[in-house]
Amino acid sequence: MPESFTIAVFSENKAGLLQRVTSSFTRRKINIESLTVSESEVPGIHRYTIVVDSLDEDGVIKVCAALEKQVDVQKAFYYRDTDIVYREIALYKVRSDSMTEGSPALAIVDKHHARILSVEPEFTVIQKTGRREQTAALFDELEPYGILEFVRSGRVAISRPMKELKTYLEELAVASTH
Amino acid sequence: MSTSTKPKAKEKPTTERITGAEAVVRCLIAEGVDVMFGYPGGAIMPVYDELYKYQKDIHHVLVRHEQGATHMAQGFARASGRVGVALATSGPGATNLITGVADAMIDSTPMVCITGQVPKHLLGSDAFQETDVMGISIPVSKWGFQITDASEIPEVFAKAFYVAKAGRPGPVVIDITKNAQFGEFDFSYEKCTSISTYVPRPILDEAKLKEAAELINNAKKPYILFGQGVILSEAEAELKALVEKTGIPSAWTIMGLSAMDTDHPLNVGMLGMHGNYGPNVNINECDVMIAIGMRFDDRVTGNLEKFAKQAKVIHIEIDRAEIDKNVKTDVAIHGDAKEAMATLLPMLNENKHESWLQEFKDCDKVEFEKVIDAECNPTTDEMTMGETIKELNKITGGNAIIVTDVGQHQMVACRYADFRQTKSNITSGGLGTMGFGLPAAIGAKLGAPERDVICVVGDGGIQMTIEELGVILQTDVHVKILLLNNEFLGMVRQWQQLFFDKRYASTEMVNPNFQLIAEAYSIKCNKIDQRKDLVGALTEMMETDGAYLLEVMVGKENNVFPMVPAGAAVADIKLEP
Ligand SMILES: Cc1ncc(C[n+]2csc(CCOP(=O)(O)OP(=O)(O)O)c2C)c(N)n1
């Protein structure tokens, strides 16, 4: 049964690596729901956060093994939603004249604990951080008042287990000279 | 890049100011390369200029098509156990390498491919002969790097040779922009001995080995399946010791051929779609399966739902991603085959499995009566591929390197050729690349000059890379070419006969006069279509000093059996149509 999994891939940031990572998915015709690349807490190590929702656990294990076998990839972990704390960030551009004091649209923004990020004469940018359903719910409610532009980031996630990446990397460095 | 964790030597290594192009050649020499295969062109000319200067150190073999260079490098690597090197220019030169890179990837062959590239400032401008080599090769290579500055050369080359050979071997692609070939820098070279992100030899889990030993010691019908991993880790002696101590019947995959003697009493034969009968059906009879350095390819397993479901499976494998990929293991031993078997051996009891072995022999009898006898001792007028290989065995004594192309002749050669030395079977197993045979044989001969190298090839496949006869001419490579001509793309025709109601769509070949072609390249040749001439012709081929092409006309519509139809269970292997 397919589930949603968040995969964290750690590697040095090298040209071509993104293609090696994505081709591990594309060659198996696995659709990537979202992909975020950023630094990690370890200097020089980048972190790819990838969400897939068409795999069962056996499938995600195989993809992680294929990722980890890449020469430049240090580690690949997979998590269920309950194993991580995660967020996405969404931005909404609406007409400023629909956001006047006491307007229903503004009430919606308040109700969703969203932030007004920027107010310009013509348009206003609203920011909502949360899980997918939460940013989507705000979208649905604002839509009748006109959304001029919408963007949502990929998922970023922090894992619950306490073992640090540093420790994994130390173990790997020892094993690499065996 | 921080690749080497090795402590640096106290004194600074001496440096010399040289160009990137010279550095490329110096790196190759430092890695022990003395033969390489390539084809020049604009974007790689500075390197060729250096190869001219260093021609005493490196023998550069001028191929006729870059695909040939990769297959030669592969043949060289498989016969010698060393890293094969191929060199090409940018654009079309580079794209022509890709088939060989993909082939080396799936068959775990250590190879370093070097391509020229347009100067850095032209990257991405659709310059003349620019192509995104990294982008094309990444999905089919073990590792790759684009060098845009001369100073990167030593470290990248050191890493490339290390990666190609370390752990599960594979192809590496190095793309070098022209400005990096011209650029000068202070050269020094240090070999790479480890990379902090890569574990070539996983640390064995003692507990797992004990678990495996326990299973093996208590097994009634244990069965070993071994693959190329045994050859790649040079574990032939360990395998032999383990098999002989435990008395376990052992079967090889196509890539594992020659890791053991063909006529070892415990070698029960070949696995796979056209493998032997006993090895296939007994997959579903064994109680403990010990898979060593093999990857359960679908051509070996057939329908996974009906593969060894009754057995406990032990899998000894260096590549973590292969474990549990196709067949679920009960005991996974993630590690080097040689190390794993050496550690396992003292834990195993001496044993014999006579009645279990007899089950294989009973199957052999059936297979002999239904298939082998007719194939190898035919009473028909037409010659068969099987009898040709059997007669060849008598002459070589199983001591030749057999290189095959892809098709019926490949399956027949792998089924019937005798092997008495390791690294003697060179074939395109995973990718099934037609056109592999001839260039791979040339590479194999250069990798093992002291050995006889015989290329068994079909009339279809030889024409895919027939231009490499030019290498035999120019470089005087003494390979023997055994062309089994059935005037068909035989293997495809066989499928058309069995599964497409004999509709022979585009498989009949109108062939050129291969004798004239061989003569044009000054290669001695002969053609026979009578059984009475077979032994004499084979003997003459082997006794002739130099290259030779022997064309044997075989039955046009012969089939290779047994056969596990695609997607069927191994137990449903067919002995006849
Ligand atoms: C590059 C490539 N193209 C197509 C195929 C499909 N194919 C597999 S076997 C075969 C026929 C080979 O014919 P031939 O070389 O005459 O050998 P035979 O089977 O007759 O021994 C073909 C076309 C392939 N394996 N490789």
Side-chain angles (χ1 to χ4, degrees):
Chain A
M1 259 275 287
E3 295 176 59
S4 169
F5 288 102
T6 301
I7 300 170
V9 184
F10 294 92
S11 89
E12 289 169 36
N13 190 27
K14 296 202 172 130
L17 201 74
L18 180 60
Q19 194 190 343
R20 277 197 184 273
V21 169
T22 54
S23 94
S24 300
F25 292 86
T26 49
R27 67 173 294 213
R28 296 174 175 84
K29 204 163 165 57
I30 302 165
N31 197 28
I32 292 178
E33 283 302 312
S34 86
L35 164 67
T36 305
V37 188
S38 75
E39 290 158 28
S40 72
E41 68 281 12
V42 180
I45 303 297
H46 273 60
R47 171 178 188 144
Y48 298 72
T49 307
I50 300 161
V51 181
V52 292
D53 60 13
S54 60
L55 292 177
D56 58 12
E57 184 164 21
D58 190 50
V60 77
I61 288 172
K62 284 178 188 168
V63 174
C64 286
L67 287 162
E68 224 169 68
K69 106 181 207 184
Q70 300 297 336
V71 174
D72 289 326
V73 168
Q74 267 100 336
K75 276 294 190 191
F77 302 98
Y78 71 92
Y79 305 103
R80 292 195 164 81
D81 289 357
T82 47
D83 303 328
I84 49 177
V85 177
Y86 62 95
R87 286 294 179 268
E88 290 164 1
I89 177 166
L91 301 179
Y92 314 69
K93 177 175 163 187
V94 294
R95 283 189 196 288
S96 290
D97 56 19
S98 65
M99 281 285 157
T100 49
E101 198 62 43
S103 70
L106 200 58
I108 291 166
V109 171
D110 275 347
K111 191 180 86 183
H112 283 266
H113 304 291
R115 277 181 57 199
I116 305 280
L117 200 61
S118 170
V119 183
E120 312 279 334
E122 280 188 291
F123 67 90
T124 297
V125 179
I126 299 155
Q127 174 197 318
K128 167 76 191 160
T129 305
R131 291 192 299 275
R132 171 73 58 99
E133 324 76 84
Q134 296 171 317
T135 55
L138 176 57
F139 184 95
D140 291 345
E141 286 204 46
L142 279 179
E143 207 181 9
Y145 304 95
I147 295 175
L148 302 173
E149 201 176 326
F150 172 76
V151 63
R152 178 164 49 210
S153 74
R155 173 182 289 193
V156 290
I158 292 281
S159 70
R160 293 186 185 275
M162 288 300 287
K163 186 166 174 180
E164 290 178 48
L165 176 62
K166 230 175 35 203
T167 316
Y168 284 108
L169 297 185
E170 282 160 12
E171 288 169 4
L172 185 63
V174 171
S176 72
T177 57
H178 168 61
Chain B
M1 284 196 312
S2 58
T3 54
S4 176
T5 54
K6 210 181 84 185
K8 290 261 185 304
K10 288 262 157 43
E11 69 267 42
K12 256 185 87 183
T14 47
T15 63
E16 247 180 286
R17 203 156 175 83
I18 58 175
T19 64
E22 183 171 4
V24 167
V25 178
R26 295 278 292 274
C27 291
L28 295 175
I29 294 169
E31 289 293 341
V33 175
D34 50 13
V35 182
M36 63 190 290
F37 309 90
Y39 207 86
I44 196 71
M45 282 184 67
V47 171
Y48 270 89
D49 196 41
E50 294 299 329
L51 282 169
Y52 183 80
K53 292 184 206 153
Y54 284 94
Q55 53 186 288
K56 283 205 177 59
D57 301 285
I58 298 184
H59 175 198
H60 175 274
V61 175
L62 175 62
V63 303
R64 294 298 183 269
H65 183 291
E66 291 86 352
Q67 182 186 350
T70 53
H71 296 328
M72 284 179 214
Q74 290 181 277
F76 177 90
R78 299 258 296 264
S80 68
R82 296 160 65 193
V83 178
V85 180
L87 182 64
T89 191
S90 66
T95 55
N96 278 348
L97 296 176
I98 297 300
T99 301
V101 174
D103 192 286
M105 184 68 178
I106 199 161
D107 279 349
S108 316
T109 308
M111 174 164 75
V112 170
C113 293
I114 305 160
T115 52
Q117 182 57 281
V118 301
K120 185 179 181 186
H121 74 273
L122 290 179
L123 283 175
S125 71
D126 301 322
F128 179 64
Q129 294 193 329
E130 183 195 1
T131 192
D132 179 7
V133 189
M134 299 322 295
I136 295 170
S137 64
I138 278 173
V140 293
S141 59
K142 186 175 172 188
W143 188 70
F145 197 90
Q146 182 177 59
I147 294 173
T148 52
D149 190 281
S151 64
E152 297 170 323
I153 289 170
E155 205 173 342
V156 172
F157 271 73
K159 186 169 171 182
F161 276 84
Y162 173 75
V163 168
K165 200 85 212 294
R168 179 177 177 179
V172 168
V173 176
I174 306 176
D175 193 34
I176 315 179
T177 57
K178 205 165 176 183
N179 61 293
Q181 298 171 44
F182 281 127
E184 286 193 359
F185 74 112
D186 293 326
F187 174 80
S188 71
Y189 196 76
E190 210 181 327
K191 278 202 179 193
C192 173
T193 53
S194 72
I195 299 170
S196 67
T197 58
Y198 183 69
V199 180
R201 285 157 63 92
I203 297 164
L204 288 170
D205 182 342
E206 212 42 60
K208 293 279 182 199
L209 286 164
K210 286 208 183 100
E211 240 181 278
E214 171 100 13
L215 273 179
I216 296 169
N217 286 335
N218 293 315
K220 296 274 174 301
K221 293 181 167 189
Y223 184 18
I224 289 176
L225 280 56
F226 65 93
Q228 194 192 198
V230 173
I231 298 171
L232 292 170
S233 72
E234 301 184 328
E236 294 90 348
E238 285 75 9
L239 175 71
K240 184 164 185 275
L242 188 148
V243 167
E244 287 176 357
K245 183 173 183 188
T246 58
I248 300 177
S250 303
W252 49 27
T253 68
I254 192 171
M255 299 300 291
L257 289 176
S258 85
M260 199 178 186
D261 278 9
T262 305
D263 49 15
H264 190 287
L266 289 164
N267 182 346
V268 294
M270 187 167 84
L271 296 157
M273 180 175 267
H274 293 291
N276 293 109
Y277 184 55
N280 271 300
V281 295
N282 284 328
I283 283 170
N284 286 356
E285 299 298 325
C286 65
D287 60 353
V288 174
M289 172 178 281
I290 308 122
I292 306 170
M294 55 86 79
R295 59 184 181 84
F296 292 109
D297 182 89
D298 57 281
R299 283 292 191 265
V300 161
T301 64
N303 183 350
L304 280 169
E305 302 299 320
K306 295 176 182 161
F307 183 86
K309 286 297 175 197
Q310 79 295 340
K312 293 271 184 220
V313 178
I314 301 165
H315 193 181
I316 301 177
E317 170 58 47
I318 199 161
D319 179 356
R320 181 67 191 81
E322 292 297 350
I323 296 174
D324 290 333
K325 187 181 83 176
N326 295 338
V327 172
K328 286 273 168 278
T329 47
D330 295 280
V331 182
I333 297 175
H334 181 206
D336 176 72
K338 187 184 183 81
E339 205 182 332
M341 284 193 280
T343 320
L344 197 54
L345 188 66
M347 304 178 190
L348 298 176
N349 298 339
E350 264 183 56
N351 212 335
K352 283 205 162 53
H353 294 281
E354 297 296 356
S355 63
W356 170 224
L357 196 58
Q358 189 57 45
E359 291 186 34
F360 285 89
K361 288 181 184 156
D362 294 344
C363 288
D364 287 349
K365 205 166 155 259
V366 174
E367 187 179 346
F368 182 82
E369 282 162 7
K370 296 250 183 195
V371 178
I372 299 174
D373 196 24
E375 179 66 34
C376 297
N377 311 302
T379 49
T380 52
D381 284 347
E382 288 176 332
M383 276 190 281
T384 66
M385 295 182 177
E387 67 178 320
T388 312
I389 302 296
K390 280 290 177 191
E391 290 303 338
L392 184 66
N393 284 338
K394 291 181 194 158
I395 301 169
T396 63
N399 287 307
I401 294 180
I402 304 293
V403 184
T404 78
D405 205 78
V406 170
Q408 291 184 314
H409 64 279
Q410 173 191 34
M411 291 301 124
V412 171
C414 290
R415 284 175 54 79
Y416 298 111
D418 284 348
F419 296 106
R420 248 166 224 94
Q421 291 182 50
T422 188
K423 295 195 180 76
S424 296
N425 165 63
I426 298 176
T427 193
S428 171
L431 205 63
T433 306
M434 280 175 74
F436 175 87
L438 178 58
I442 293 170
K445 183 68 188 174
L446 291 162
E450 71 291 353
R451 299 193 62 191
D452 285 329
V453 176
I454 302 160
C455 171
V456 181
V457 63
D459 49 308
I462 195 172
Q463 294 183 72
M464 279 215 177
T465 46
I466 200 162
E467 73 285 350
E468 304 307 335
L469 292 174
V471 175
I472 295 178
L473 171 66
Q474 182 162 358
T475 309
D476 192 26
V477 189
H478 295 189
V479 294
K480 313 295 179 183
I481 303 162
L482 180 57
L483 169 57
L484 299 178
N485 188 349
N486 54 13
E487 299 177 291
F488 264 109
L489 297 174
M491 184 57 92
V492 177
R493 188 212 52 76
Q494 174 170 345
W495 284 49
Q496 288 171 334
Q497 180 186 340
L498 299 177
F499 310 119
F500 294 88
D501 243 350
K502 279 201 170 190
R503 289 185 296 276
Y504 292 164
S506 298
T507 45
E508 198 165 359
M509 297 290 275
V510 175
N511 282 321
N513 183 330
F514 291 111
Q515 301 300 301
L516 283 180
I517 293 178
E519 277 169 25
Y521 285 98
S522 303
I523 296 168
K524 294 191 194 92
C525 55
N526 189 10
K527 173 178 175 174
I528 58 164
D529 54 13
Q530 299 288 317
R531 179 162 300 122
K532 64 177 174 36
D533 299 327
L534 181 59
V535 177
L538 285 168
T539 308
E540 186 181 321
M541 170 174 84
M542 296 311 295
E543 284 179 357
T544 299
D545 190 27
Y548 199 97
L549 184 146
L550 173 61
E551 180 179 1
V552 179
M553 302 306 293
V554 295
K556 288 180 71 153
E557 298 188 38
N558 293 350
N559 290 328
V560 187
F561 274 95
M563 178 174 193
V564 181
V570 281
D572 295 335
I573 184 168
K574 285 178 157 41
L575 288 158
E576 54 212 343

